[in-house]
Amino acid sequence: MIKLAGIDIGNDSIKLVVDGSKEPFMIPNIIAPGYERHILQEEDSAWKALDVVIYSPSLSQRNQRYFVGQLALEHEDNLELEDTDNKALSDQSLIVALTALAYQGLVSQTAASGYGQTDEVEYTIGTGLPVRAFAKYHQPFEQRLLGEHEVTFLSTPQLRNRKVKVIVRKAAISIEGAAAMFHLATHDSLQVKDEEIYSGIIGVCEIGALTTDFPVIKRMAIDNHFSHGEQIGIATYLDAIIRDVEDAYGYVFPSRAKLAARVKNRQYTIQLPGEGQVDIRAIVDQHFRRAAVRMVEMIKKRWRKCPDIQCFYVIGGGAAALKPYILDAAGPMKLRFTNDSEFLNVQGYLKVAKSRLNQAVPV
């Protein structure tokens, strides 16, 4: 059976939701070179130890071993995407995405046993690209996703030595932020839920790790003239916090994701050598205030260029972290935030895939 899924290939994390499931599955978009692990105690979850070999005709290096996501999070040789990376062409993003699709196929028991010990899972997926990358890269991005790929789990608990053939039959590519509005505007059945969003002129500020997108949605269609994207995201400010904390206290965050998790959980106390602790909230506040001022100025610029915009939604993982700072910087200007905004795109991509299959509403 072909599964329908939405997958948000974010620069900081990859989120996957399969039709019929309630909760999206999320993996940090981090990899490290894989090797034979010296395991003292097996992890209590497969998600914590994604140790894979991946073969894909779309990868420049095939049959390579990688530690993915949580397992790579604190690895000294881990790799996070930088602002020079293009997710449409990125091997790293494809590695993590294929790992997520294979994992979900096994844990949800949708994978069917194929030849020998190989399981198979087939997908039709919806996904997206930033505004500035979409026009040029959506076709090569689609071609890299389509076809047959193979993921073998090695030391991963509960999935040890399981091999999965991941087959992507169709891929519907849309624009980040626009898919989120489609999700807010419609029910799961794709019937209209919010007439204002569905029929109005809506501005979106979608704050990601490395990009911030400003699509303008007019009656669920992208406005080609006013939609815009900026090559800056919250990662710039997370990197600055990491540098300042290291300079001030000698404490090194092994990855942006590690810092982001602390910020999300409001855990600002770090442990120093010995028994000392220090609060880094002041450093976080300083950089996030700068980020918020910049975001608000970019929103004002977009709104001035397209004064017909009726309201502006601020969404994405960066929006959740920056919300109090953006509200303070915005002053009397009204901006709209939503709950679980980092999952709006992935839910929207699932609906876009469903609508394309039904030849329904294009987004």
Side-chain angles (χ1 to χ4, degrees), residues 251-263:
Y251 182 96
V252 181
F253 284 98
S255 61
R256 282 187 219 118
K258 193 74 174 178
L259 171 59
R262 281 179 167 269
V263 170

Side-chain angles (χ1 to χ4, degrees), residues 3-6 16-24 104 108 110 123 350:
K3 297 294 289 182
L4 190 63
L16 174 68
V17 63
V18 176
D19 193 26
S21 66
K22 294 181 180 179
E23 295 295 326
Q104 190 66 25
S108 62
T110 58
Y123 287 101
L350 175 60

Side-chain angles (χ1 to χ4, degrees), residues 162-177:
R162 294 283 294 274
K163 183 181 289 187
V164 188
K165 182 182 287 186
V166 176
I167 305 168
V168 180
R169 294 294 186 194
K170 294 180 181 177
I173 316 296
S174 55
I175 291 175
E176 293 177 1

